[in-house]
Amino acid sequence: MPRPGTPMPTPMRNDRRRLLGAGLAAFAGLLVAPRGAFALDDTQARALISRAVTEVNSAIDSGKTGQPLYDLFESIFVRFADVPTIARSALGTASRSASGAQMAAFTTAFRGYISRKYGKRFREFIGARFEVQGARLVKGFYEVKTVAYLQGQAPFEVLWHVSDKSGKDLFFNIIIEGVNMLAAERTEIGAMLDARHGDIDALIKDLKTAG
Amino acid sequence: MALAMGLALAGCGEMAARPQPTGINDPYESANRRVHAFNKGFDTAVFKARPGHPRTIDNGFTRSVTNVGNNLGLPGKVVNSLLQGRPEPAVKNTFRFLINSTVGLAGIFDPAGSSFSLPETDTDFGETLAVWGMGEGAYMELPFFGPSTERDAAGRIVDIAMNPVGAVLKGSDATAATVARLAGKAAERKRFGETVESILYDSADSYAQSRLLYLQSRRYQLGGKENNDAQAWDPYADPYAQ
C-alpha cells in the first residue's frame, strides 16, 4: 500500500492536482497527527523485534548471571515492550478500581517481577538463536514471527505482537508455541490478587520480591 | 480394517473441521483440583529437586533414557498419523524409528534427528479423535498423567490399549519396553525440570496455570500452524476484559 501523501502519477490539470494534493495532505495529517493504525508497517515491526532479539542474544552471551543479568533484561524489556499496557492487562479488571499511584507502583513492581521470572528461564536459552521470519498485520497490530533454535531440540515458533498505539513501536505480547504471555500473567497475577483478598497494595508489596 | 475405517472417518473429519475452542470449560474443577493436589504431592515426593540442587538435569544420561522411551513410542505415532490420514508424518516417523533403532543403538542416540533432519512428529490418539471431528470436551486432570481433556483422556486409554510395540514383543521383552517407556517419561520430567517446577511450585495457583498452559499448547498443536486472528488478544481495544 502506498504511504499517505505519495504523489499520484495521474495526468491531471494543475489546479485539480493542487486541490487534490491539499486534500491528501490534510488526510495524511489526520493519519499522522495522532499516530494512526497505519503508521507502523511490517518493516518497522520486524526491525523492532530484530533489535530486541539481538539485545536478548547479547545479554544471554554476556556471561552475566543473577541480578546483573535480570537488570539487563529489565532495561531491554522497558525499551522494547509496552510495559504499562502489559501490566494493566495482567492486572485485569482490578486495574479499573486501582488509583493512579497504585497503577504506577504496580507497573514498576511488575517490570522487575517479569525480568526476574523470565531472566531465570533465559539461562535455558544460552546458545539459542532467534531468527526473524516475517511480519503480518492482525487486527491493527503486527505479528512478527521468529523461530528459536535450541541445541538438541526441534526449532519452535515465537510470535511477537507489536503495536504503536502507545505512541512508540513496542511489543505487548509474546506467544511461544501457542502459549500466550499476557494470558499466563493474567492468570498468575489474578491468583496472587485472590490469595490477598483483592488487596492491590499487598500484591504490589509481594510482587517486588516475586519471580 | 480399523485402518480403512479410520482413513474414511478422517476424510469426513477434515471436511467437518470444527473451529478451535477457546476459553476454559472446567465443570469438574473441584474434583480436578483434588487430583492436582495428589499429582503435585507425587511429583514433590519423586521428582522435585532438593533445595540447592538444579531443577533441570539435562545430560547424556537423561537424554539417552528419554530417547529410548520416545523411540518406543514412535510406532504408535505412526499408526495415529495413518488414522488421521496424514501419510507424511507417518513415513517420517517410520524412518526415524528404523534409523534410531539400528544406527542409534535401540534409540539411545538420535542420529535421525541430528543427521537426517527427521525430528519426531508428536501425535497421539487424542489428536486422531480431534481430526475425526470429536469435540475437546471438559478439562480433566488425570492422576499421574496430569492435565488433559475428556477427548485426550479417551485418547490416552486407546493409546495404551493399542500399543503396537507390546503387540509385537512377547513376555519379558514387552515388560522391558514398558519399563523403558516409563523411565523415558521420568528422565524427560528431569530434563525439563525448570519448566515443570516453575509451573508447579512457583505459581500462585499451579492448578490454574497448568490448565491454561495445557489448553493453549494443546490447541496450538492440534490447530496446526494456523492462528486464529479473531481471537488474538488486543489489550489496546479492551485492556480489562478478555
Side-chain angles (χ1 to χ4, degrees), chain A residues 18-57:
Chain A
R18 215 177 298 125
L19 194 66
L20 195 65
L24 268 178
F27 181 63
L30 271 177
L31 276 180
V32 172
R35 290 191 66 178
F38 298 104
L40 174 68
D41 63 27
D42 63 340
T43 318
Q44 287 164 302
R46 281 182 71 139
L48 175 85
I49 298 309
S50 294
R51 285 203 308 278
V53 162
T54 307
E55 293 217 14
V56 168
N57 285 340

Side-chain angles (χ1 to χ4, degrees), chain B residues 54-75:
Chain B
R55 288 173 158 182
T56 293
I57 300 176
D58 187 13
N59 55 29
F61 178 71
T62 53
R63 280 188 191 209
S64 301
V65 177
T66 310
N67 285 347
V68 171
N70 285 346
N71 192 53
L72 291 168
L74 287 171

Side-chain angles (χ1 to χ4, degrees), chain B residues 11-162:
Chain B
C12 309
E14 297 287 9
M15 275 188 291
R18 46 178 70 227
Q20 277 287 320
T22 54
I24 289 163
N25 171 21
D26 190 5
Y28 314 124
E29 178 163 348
S30 54
N32 282 337
R33 280 189 182 271
R34 281 194 293 276
V35 176
H36 182 76
F38 167 79
N39 283 344
K40 204 168 161 176
F42 175 76
D43 189 272
T44 307
V46 178
F47 294 116
K48 191 184 179 189
R50 281 168 293 145
H53 290 261
R55 288 173 158 182
T56 293
I57 300 176
D58 187 13
N59 55 29
F61 178 71
T62 53
R63 280 188 191 209
S64 301
V65 177
T66 310
N67 285 347
V68 171
N70 285 346
N71 192 53
L72 291 168
L74 287 171
K77 295 183 199 302
V78 171
V79 173
N80 276 308
S81 290
L82 291 173
L83 292 175
Q84 293 155 17
R86 291 171 176 163
E88 195 192 316
V91 170
K92 283 186 172 171
N93 275 344
T94 300
F95 277 105
R96 182 179 163 80
F97 180 70
L98 293 175
I99 293 167
N100 282 355
S101 299
T102 53
V103 186
L105 304 178
I108 295 171
F109 302 103
D110 179 18
S114 52
S115 308
F116 295 91
S117 323
L118 282 171
E120 178 181 299
T121 313
D122 195 20
T123 187
D124 50 62
F125 199 75
E127 179 164 13
T128 302
L129 291 173
V131 170
W132 290 356
M134 184 176 173
E136 182 183 80
Y139 179 75
M140 284 183 88
E141 181 149 344
L142 304 175
F144 302 109
F145 292 103
S148 190
T149 58
E150 287 178 319
R151 181 179 63 202
D152 290 338
R156 286 254 183 216
I157 294 166
V158 174
D159 276 326
I160 291 166
M162 179 162 70

Side-chain angles (χ1 to χ4, degrees), chain A residues 73 113-122 181 184-185:
Chain A
F73 280 127
Y113 151 78
I114 289 285
S115 308
R116 286 188 299 276
K117 180 174 177 177
Y118 292 90
K120 272 183 203 162
R121 304 295 310 281
F122 265 110
M181 185 190 81
E185 286 314 320

